[in-house]
């Protein structure tokens, strides 16, 4: 039976799939421009560095999905699973409090806490999985020490 740790890691990785799959099919720039039309003007969208940055982000997202799948489905070490959950929690908190909190394109003039907690997508996609993983880390059994001879 999967543990809360396994489930939390799968949820965290799985939440990248709704944006990752369209990016693979259409490319990251058309997907971004379709989701947030008018945020970037045509000069920025046409610049090679923009595509470069978006491809790096897409690669990071794919790496995180694969890391989560590996840790939750193939790994038996609780310590490894806790490490992956810790890294994913840090990544999710960074996305919520830094990327959205400091540079939210949807609410640039709003107070910081409203930019973070006033966006249901940020709460569901970033803070929810982070809270689930922290709870799983704290409740998972510790790794057993090696047997004494």
């Amino acid at each position: 039976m999967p543990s809360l740790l396994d489930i939390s890691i799968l949820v965290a990785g799985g939440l990248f799939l709704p944006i990752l799959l369209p990016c693979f099919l259409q490319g990251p720039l058309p997907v971004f421009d379709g989701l947030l039309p008018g945020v970037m003007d045509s000069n920025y969208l046409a610049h090679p560095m923009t595509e470069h940055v978006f491809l790096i982000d897409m690669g990071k997202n794919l790496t995180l999905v694969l890391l989560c799948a590996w840790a939750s489905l193939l790994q038996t070490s609780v310590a490894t699973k806790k490490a992956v959950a810790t890294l994913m929690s840090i990544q999710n908190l960074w996305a919520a409090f830094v990327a959205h909190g400091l540079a939210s394109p949807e609410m640039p003039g709003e107070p910081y806490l409203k930019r973070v907690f006033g966006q249901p997508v940020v709460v569901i996609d970033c803070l929810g999985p982070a809270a689930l993983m922290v709870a799983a880390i704290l409740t998972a059994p510790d790794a057993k020490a090696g047997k004494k001879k």
Side-chain angles (χ1 to χ4, degrees):
M1 182 168 158
S3 67
L4 179 60
L5 193 54
D6 291 326
I7 292 167
S8 68
I9 294 170
L10 272 179
V11 166
L15 285 172
F16 283 99
L17 293 176
I19 191 64
L20 193 58
L21 295 176
C23 285
F24 270 117
L25 298 174
Q26 302 169 8
L29 289 179
V31 171
F32 174 80
D33 196 39
L35 289 173
L36 298 169
V39 170
M40 295 177 75
D41 68 23
S42 59
N43 290 334
Y44 286 115
L45 287 171
H47 197 283
M49 188 64 180
T50 305
E51 184 173 7
H52 177 73
V53 169
F54 273 76
L55 286 172
I56 289 171
D57 188 61
M58 190 173 98
K60 180 254 322 170
N61 292 345
L62 176 62
T63 301
L64 293 176
V65 168
L66 294 174
L67 177 67
C68 288
W70 170 78
S72 63
L73 301 173
L74 301 175
Q75 224 5 268
T76 57
S77 166
V78 174
T80 300
K81 292 177 187 219
K82 283 184 174 184
V84 170
T86 301
L87 290 171
M88 288 301 296
S89 295
I90 291 168
Q91 193 280 328
N92 282 350
L93 293 172
W94 176 271
F97 291 110
V98 177
H100 291 285
L102 296 178
S104 173
E106 292 90 15
M107 304 176 161
E110 298 292 335
Y112 175 80
L113 290 177
K114 184 171 183 182
R115 289 192 306 255
V116 174
F117 295 102
Q119 300 181 71
V121 171
V122 173
V123 174
I124 292 167
D125 284 350
C126 298
L127 298 176
L132 183 63
M133 285 183 286
V134 168
I137 291 166
L138 294 175
T139 59
D142 287 331
K144 294 183 174 123
K147 294 181 180 179
K148 294 183 181 179
K149 292 184 179 182

